[in-house]
Amino acid sequence: MSIVTVQLGQCGNQIGQEVFSALCSDIRGTHGLCSKKENGSYQDSCKERFFCEEESAVPVARAVLVDMEPKVISQTLSMAARSGHWKYSSHSHFCQKQGSGNNWANGYSVHGPRHKEAIMNLVQKEAEKCDRLGGFFTIMSMAGGTGSGLGAFVTQCLRDAFPTSFILNHVVWPYGTGEVIVQNYNSVLTLSHLYHSSDALLVHENDVIHKICAQLMNIKQISFRDVNQVIAHQLGSVFQPTHTAGGGSGYSRNPLGELMESLVPHPEFRMLGLRNIPQMPESSLPYSTFSWPGLIKHLRQMLIANAQMEEGIDWQVRPPSSIPSTNKPLHFNTSIANLVILRGKDVHGVDLGSFQDPSLYTSWLNPQDAFNAWKTPRAFNKYEKSAALVSNSQFLLKPLDSIVGKAWNMFASKAYLHQYAKFGIQEEDFLDCFTTLEQVISSYTNL
Amino acid sequence: MRAGRDHRRSGRCGDMQGHAETSRAMQGHAGRCREVQEHAWRCRDIQGGAGRCREMQGGAGTCRMMQGHAGRCRDMQDDEGTCRMMQGHAGICRAMQGGTGTCRMMQGVAGTCRMMQGHAGICRAMQGGAGTCRQGWLTRSAPPRGQGALPRAAGPEGRSRWGRSGAMRGQHREQHREQRREQHRERGPALPAAVGALCRALPPRARPAPDTLRRARFDRPQASLDFWKLLYVLLKQIHGGRWTESDAIGAQVSFVKWALWYHGYGRPQLQRLPADGSAGSRELLLAFSWLLHSPGLLEQLLARNRVQPGDQTSVCTCEDELPSSQEGTSEAGPEERVDVRYLQWLNGRLRLQWCSLHAQHQEQCKLWYKIHLFTSGSHMDQNLGHFSVTETDLISQPENYKQLLQLLDSETKQLEAFLEWKQLEPVYWQWMETVLDNMAEEGNMCESQDVHVEKRRLPEATPWAAKLTGQMDRLSRDLLSLQEHLHQLVAQRKAAWWEKVATREELQKERFSATARKIQESTELKLRGLTSLCAPKKKMHGLCRLVLRSKHPAGRMGFGQCGSKEAVAAVSAAEVITELQVREASLQRELQQLRQQCRHRLDGIAESLEGVICISP
């Protein structure tokens, strides 16, 4: 089973490159802490998922790179080639001379239709290389021009061309303080369009990752690269091979499908958040030990208290009492569905009962439906034990509400709308997008 | 402006959209299941994939790859099995959801009449079994009553295991016993042989010890667990699933109960059996015998478990009737109300699983194509020309021959046992009759007495029965609508014609006649379309062996046949694809129509709500 990654825009390409190098360094590492056979099938499974091995000596990433400016793509290609362990195919990127100028409408209505054929040809070629196309994984920012506008357009094209394939969009949520004045407009447009064409939206908030870099990784001068590496590590901890519940003895051959099936069957709830534990600088790893019960306890509290990392968790938050009442305790984060991924030593004896508590979930789903766990004894990225949580919950309710609120205020004063109208995105289109997101907010609020 | 936004929020219009989505999705569900089969045939990639063979022309490296492929193909077949099982489950689930009400009634005491259906089923089976038996049944239908359970005379040593025991009272009965004993003497050694053959003809995993049946006849609790397992394995196989040893006994019991009910076995005594499987072996023997007779169990199982050396895919162009939508279901009581979001969730899961299945099918097709292309020209059989997955596997791993041989051997034995069973079958049914007789005497008589008066009726909620009535309903509905359509067409044409006649009469004669001809032609065309709609369609159902034909533009040929009752003649993939595409298009139209209907209904509902603005999807 293979996943085709589509990297869009500056952000998407930079993160994509970090993801592939994280995957590659993980399977090349000697930190596996498991049997040789296990390690071998882990490596094979990872290679089948993300790389194809042609005649060339090093694995070639199953990826399509798209940007409107040549700079980032050439950087990305050369960085991959320089690693010497993997590379991008020399025929699977598309770039132009002129960017989108942070205008969503420019990416969506101009660049998209103009270059649709060329981009889709690249995707088609990459898809044909897979014996089994497991789906698409697109990486893009939410607030920019090319990544978000063109990304939304390309996602729509993917849905049309591959109606039965899974599409998982990874979107990077902008800093609250904002790099771009129209980022809230762009975000609203991106999210609502993706909500119609994608199967699931996996969200990383820049602010959160920035905090992790500062407080957990102890990085003083935080660069985009540091942020991207943390994101890549978290994504790797989800998408590296695991044994799933229904997958028989081997590694799962349908990770995207199983992820979607356990988390996002409902069409109105498609926002996924990702948390992991532990996360620390590589230098302190040799001096740390972890126990599974401790990790699970922390991860659970991170979930219910909506903490973004293991530091500063509010331990006062408790699940509501078993009697279903309408007024849930403040700050309690209700889940629709959760997926826990455990990697490392003694993983098979771990007790996950605390995640199967019905009070964690919405009343219309029982924990058997709502909770799943994937496991592998193979350690990930030098962490002896590590746990990741992909959650479809109220995680993103607050940031979403704030973005929609800010965008609405701008919209109400008709600010910058002419910039969008210039490329064919009219007020009615904005209204439709607001309606979609309001519906999402209300659905998540009334869990 | 902000107020406008809140207005939208309060509108909850999205909820309505969700409703429409769900109901549409449910109605289209069965259709989608069929699409799965249809998609297996869409080997477009394969037909057009000549370009991809380049990599296959490599040398030894490719061979290694092929082995992997063969292995993976096998895995996929397993996976496919799972999915088929899922479909089976879904079917039963649907039946379950539809029938919870009926079921409760069945379990209640009020439903005594249903008991007779079980009897009737067996009775029919018996009548099929032996002619002599029928006579016996009739004479004994009015036994002397009020004497309680009768102990019976012990038979000679050799047959007392299977025969009856105890003394007799009443002359009529005496006579009859005498007659019966004669029969006993004749079939004495035959019964163990019949049971033995039956056991051996069952699939190896389900095979019970012959002694289990004897124990069950005396309702021994030791036999009940074996029987639950037997029924579980058999029913799982019929539903295309793989049985797992790990399934808890509770799950096995409930599955068997539901599955039997699904097949139309409505005896309440069975439904009342304890969930831990600790009792009721005779009841289970009865159910087993019913199953054995009614759906041709053994034949089905033999066909299903055949060793298949070729690559096969299933074809089905049958037009299964969708169960007509039941409007009355909304009246369910408050305790049965399910959150619509949960249904949407389940529906979504089904959709995602279907996508996974589709991807698996595509992979299987790709791998098949690679193997077929690479081995083309290798097969001794000129008609085939290339190896199948099994054959390729044998070449790369010759030691697997032994396993295949074993499988073939065991299948041969099973078939032999089946032949033997067919000859001895009447003996078994005779014996079953005595079992039934015993059961009737042991206290069920008073209950069943009242039932004689009531008309025999099938449980309506069983999909098995509902399908028949549904089909009949649909047929008559179709006829009516066609008739109406025809009348309309004729009337329209006539009207149009008269109109034209009136206008054209003033114009030249020639142009008039030309127009008349044109109108006539178009009418004929329309009518022809109508007749082709009614014409019986060629239906294909069963398994096809996949054979790659490079010379034919069609690419793949289904060839040979096995499995199902009706053979599927050689057919090209292209033909099947076209046919399925036609069917898909018509289903799409139907879906569109249903969607439209739902939309109208929603609009109607929305209008009646005050102070709410709904934006229709």
Side-chain angles (χ1 to χ4, degrees), chain B residues 346-608:
Chain B
L346 288 179
N347 182 45
R349 269 185 69 168
L350 219 57
R351 187 184 68 83
L352 293 168
Q353 281 172 347
W354 176 77
C355 287
S356 296
L357 179 65
H358 179 60
Q360 265 180 19
H361 268 296
Q362 279 190 324
E363 182 185 21
Q364 194 179 31
C365 288
K366 270 189 187 175
L367 298 179
W368 266 339
Y369 177 71
K370 284 186 183 176
I371 288 175
H372 291 180
L373 193 73
F374 186 71
T375 58
S376 65
S378 314
H379 205 286
M380 293 213 335
D381 188 339
Q382 290 297 312
N383 279 329
L384 298 172
H386 59 76
F387 290 144
S388 66
V389 175
T390 321
E391 288 159 345
T392 315
D393 189 43
L394 283 178
I395 284 163
S396 55
Q397 285 164 311
E399 64 271 26
N400 288 356
Y401 263 118
K402 272 182 208 149
Q403 212 188 339
L404 186 68
L405 214 62
Q406 266 175 9
L407 281 175
L408 285 170
D409 196 43
S410 94
E411 193 183 315
T412 316
K413 282 196 185 120
Q414 213 179 324
L415 286 168
E416 279 168 3
F418 177 70
L419 287 178
E420 199 184 330
W421 155 253
K422 272 289 157 199
Q423 282 175 341
L424 297 171
E425 205 181 348
V427 186
Y428 178 85
W429 296 119
Q430 262 172 321
W431 175 67
M432 265 315 291
E433 190 222 351
T434 66
V435 175
L436 195 63
D437 202 25
N438 272 16
M439 288 176 91
E441 276 170 25
E442 279 176 25
N444 285 337
M445 264 342 239
C446 25
E447 251 184 283
S448 53
Q449 263 282 298
D450 340 344
V451 178
H452 282 298
V453 200
E454 277 193 54
K455 223 178 146 192
R456 217 167 56 196
R457 206 165 54 89
L458 291 171
E460 268 176 73
T462 11
W464 173 72
K467 212 172 168 181
L468 264 180
T469 48
Q471 267 173 353
M472 264 148 60
D473 282 353
R474 218 193 91 117
L475 218 62
S476 52
R477 228 178 316 124
D478 276 0
L479 264 175
L480 270 178
S481 72
L482 275 177
Q483 210 172 6
E484 206 173 298
H485 196 96
L486 198 67
H487 277 306
Q488 259 177 18
L489 264 179
V490 172
Q492 266 175 20
R493 284 292 140 204
K494 259 188 191 161
W497 209 338
W498 282 122
E499 208 176 293
K500 298 237 163 134
V501 170
T503 48
R504 298 290 160 155
E505 251 178 344
E506 292 142 30
L507 299 170
Q508 299 128 321
K509 275 251 169 183
E510 278 170 45
R511 275 180 67 192
F512 164 71
S513 63
T515 324
R517 217 179 303 124
K518 233 187 243 169
I519 293 170
Q520 206 165 6
E521 272 167 18
S522 71
T523 317
E524 267 173 22
L525 206 72
K526 282 228 165 130
L527 282 174
R528 212 180 302 143
L530 210 63
T531 48
S532 76
L533 206 75
C534 315
K537 279 177 198 130
K538 190 177 73 177
K539 280 182 186 169
M540 289 180 278
H541 184 90
L543 294 173
C544 269
R545 176 158 186 170
L546 288 169
V547 178
L548 183 70
R549 287 281 153 80
S550 47
K551 283 173 200 160
H552 291 272
R556 254 162 200 251
M557 299 281 281
F559 172 83
Q561 66 306 92
C562 13
S564 178
K565 302 145 232 167
E566 291 153 66
V568 180
V571 61
S572 84
E575 280 173 38
V576 181
I577 290 169
T578 351
E579 192 161 329
L580 289 173
Q581 273 165 349
V582 171
R583 177 105 181 94
E584 187 191 12
S586 88
L587 282 172
Q588 280 293 351
R589 271 196 302 276
E590 201 177 321
L591 185 67
Q592 207 60 45
Q593 254 176 8
L594 287 171
R595 251 183 218 174
Q596 206 61 43
Q597 280 174 17
C598 275
R599 198 164 293 170
H600 285 315
R601 265 171 60 193
L602 269 180
D603 285 346
I605 295 167
E607 268 167 33
S608 65

Side-chain angles (χ1 to χ4, degrees), chain A residues 8 25 81 172 176 211 214 305 308 319 382-383 415:
Chain A
L8 294 143
S25 79
V172 176
K211 249 189 192 164
Q308 287 124 356
K382 306 195 176 88
Y383 288 82

Side-chain angles (χ1 to χ4, degrees), chain A residues 4-8 12-13 20 61-67 73 88 91-94 118-127 136-137 139 154:
Chain A
V4 173
T5 303
V6 184
Q7 309 178 171
L8 294 143
N13 278 299
F20 282 109
R62 296 182 192 273
V64 176
L65 293 75
V66 181
D67 200 358
I73 287 204
Y88 285 107
H91 310 293
S92 63
H93 60 267
F94 177 86
I119 296 171
M120 288 312 284
N121 271 342
L122 291 178
V123 172
Q124 190 74 40
K125 253 191 229 157
E126 209 54 53
F136 295 96
F137 180 48
I139 309 177
V154 168

Side-chain angles (χ1 to χ4, degrees), chain A residues 29 182 232 290 395 413 440:
Chain A
V182 286
F290 304 101
F395 267 167
S413 56
V440 174

Side-chain angles (χ1 to χ4, degrees), chain A residues 34 55 100 121 204 234 257 353:
Chain A
C34 61
E55 300 82 47
S100 307
N121 271 342
H204 265 119
Q234 293 199 347

Side-chain angles (χ1 to χ4, degrees), chain A residues 182-196:
Chain A
V182 286
Q183 69 175 28
N184 295 322
Y185 275 164
N186 291 348
S187 300
V188 166
L189 291 164
T190 310
L191 282 176
S192 66
H193 277 79
L194 290 184
Y195 232 80
H196 290 302

